[in-house]
Amino acid sequence: MLYSRREFFQYSGAWLGAKWLEGLLGEEQIPSWPLIRVKTDMPYVCIGIDDGWYPSIVEQFLKIMEEDEGTKFTVFPVGKVMMQSADVWRAVKAAGHVIGNHSHDHLYVRGKTKERIKRSFRVFEEEDYPEVFGEAFPKPGWARVPFAEAPVKANQNVRDVLFEMNDFDVHWRRDSYSWNTNGVNNARNREYCLKNIGQLVQGDIGVIHFSSLDMAILPALLSNLAERGLVNVPFPVLWEARRDK
């Protein structure tokens, strides 16, 4: 069943309060595999936005979202980058977007030991996040592994680490592939990226990045979803709306 945006906000308004995440995931055991979609009867998709190397691009994102304050994203900044522009990321969180763990140093996990992987993800949660936001990283939490290292060639060390840390391994089913264009923001590349990420269907998890190209297609992407009766929600909302609990 598809819902209008008005209907969506009528039944999901509870999510938009200041404490909408509190107690959402409870103490249940998280899955130990990378998630690329969630089976749900709600008209939800979840687009994660990764990296955040350039504060000006993150500020551009915030400006774009002023025109659509009801839509919230899950964002996955690199910890050391987040530390370097803490005020910007505090503004992202204050705007209602959910912060996920993308490792401290954008770690390329292939071939890395379990100890090395654990160190990078733990530094994000135990040092970077508390320093920036003045509070503990939420548990259960959500993490995204850099460099697309999840479902295609699942790294057992990564799976073990995130499971032990009580973090969801939030991967994706659809990608804009903006990284495949050398970052050139032109009409051809915008069409290419929008076509790729525009294939999201109900329950899908997607990925874009804090890049000028992905920010350029963001308004059109949200319009595309709305036209098809879909709404982007943060990962914990999508998970809570899963069909089989």
Side-chain angles (χ1 to χ4, degrees):
M1 179 182 297
L2 298 181
Y3 302 82
S4 70
R5 290 181 71 84
R6 180 182 296 274
E7 290 169 331
F8 165 74
F9 287 115
Q10 287 175 342
Y11 59 63
S12 63
W15 300 122
L16 303 180
K19 295 185 178 181
W20 65 276
L21 278 175
E22 186 173 336
L24 188 61
L25 297 175
E27 299 298 324
E28 64 182 310
Q29 185 62 67
I30 65 171
S32 61
W33 57 86
L35 293 169
I36 63 173
R37 70 185 312 270
V38 173
K39 293 181 179 180
T40 180
D41 294 321
M42 301 298 282
Y44 294 161
V45 297
C46 172
I47 302 169
I49 312 180
D50 289 7
D51 296 347
W53 302 107
Y54 305 104
S56 61
I57 300 294
V58 182
E59 291 171 343
Q60 182 184 354
F61 163 73
L62 289 171
K63 189 69 174 177
I64 292 169
M65 297 314 299
E66 288 178 0
E67 302 300 318
D68 194 346
E69 294 183 348
T71 299
K72 307 302 177 185
F73 284 85
T74 308
V75 298
F76 294 90
V78 176
K80 65 180 183 181
V81 173
M82 187 173 67
M83 291 279 285
Q84 293 167 0
S85 52
D87 287 346
V88 173
W89 290 101
R90 282 192 283 266
V92 171
K93 189 171 185 294
H97 305 287
V98 176
I99 309 294
N101 185 346
H102 200 43
S103 81
H104 169 72
D105 50 0
H106 207 254
L107 181 68
Y108 185 60
V109 299
R110 188 180 300 182
K112 300 297 189 298
T113 65
K114 183 175 178 179
E115 290 70 26
R116 175 67 180 90
I117 295 167
K118 183 182 294 186
R119 182 165 68 252
S120 183
F121 282 90
R122 282 202 178 279
V123 167
F124 182 100
E125 296 189 6
E126 297 178 2
E127 299 180 26
D128 302 339
Y129 186 95
E131 177 69 21
V132 171
F133 300 110
E135 61 187 37
F137 189 75
K139 289 297 177 181
W142 28 92
R144 175 168 280 171
V145 181
F147 296 106
E149 284 286 342
V152 177
K153 295 183 178 179
N155 183 314
Q156 189 62 49
N157 284 338
V158 172
R159 293 177 63 180
D160 288 347
V161 165
L162 295 184
F163 187 70
E164 291 170 9
M165 292 176 64
N166 203 25
D167 285 346
F168 289 84
D169 186 349
V170 183
H171 199 65
W172 61 85
R173 187 165 180 260
R174 299 296 181 188
D175 188 342
S176 72
Y177 292 103
S178 58
W179 51 268
N180 199 34
T181 66
N182 293 319
V184 178
N185 184 0
N186 58 32
R188 180 178 179 180
N189 286 340
R190 289 193 295 272
E191 181 181 2
Y192 166 81
C193 292
L194 187 58
K195 180 179 179 180
N196 289 329
I197 193 67
Q199 296 180 55
L200 287 163
V201 297
Q202 185 168 304
D204 275 355
I205 299 172
V207 60
I208 61 177
H209 291 78
F210 285 105
S211 68
S212 61
L213 181 51
D214 277 330
M215 292 304 101
I217 69 167
L218 184 56
L221 172 57
L222 293 174
S223 294
N224 170 285
L225 295 176
E227 288 169 4
R228 295 189 290 128
L230 298 172
V231 180
N232 180 72
V233 297
F235 172 75
V237 176
L238 177 64
W239 180 253
E240 180 66 12
R242 67 194 183 282
R243 186 176 300 156
D244 301 318
K245 296 184 181 179

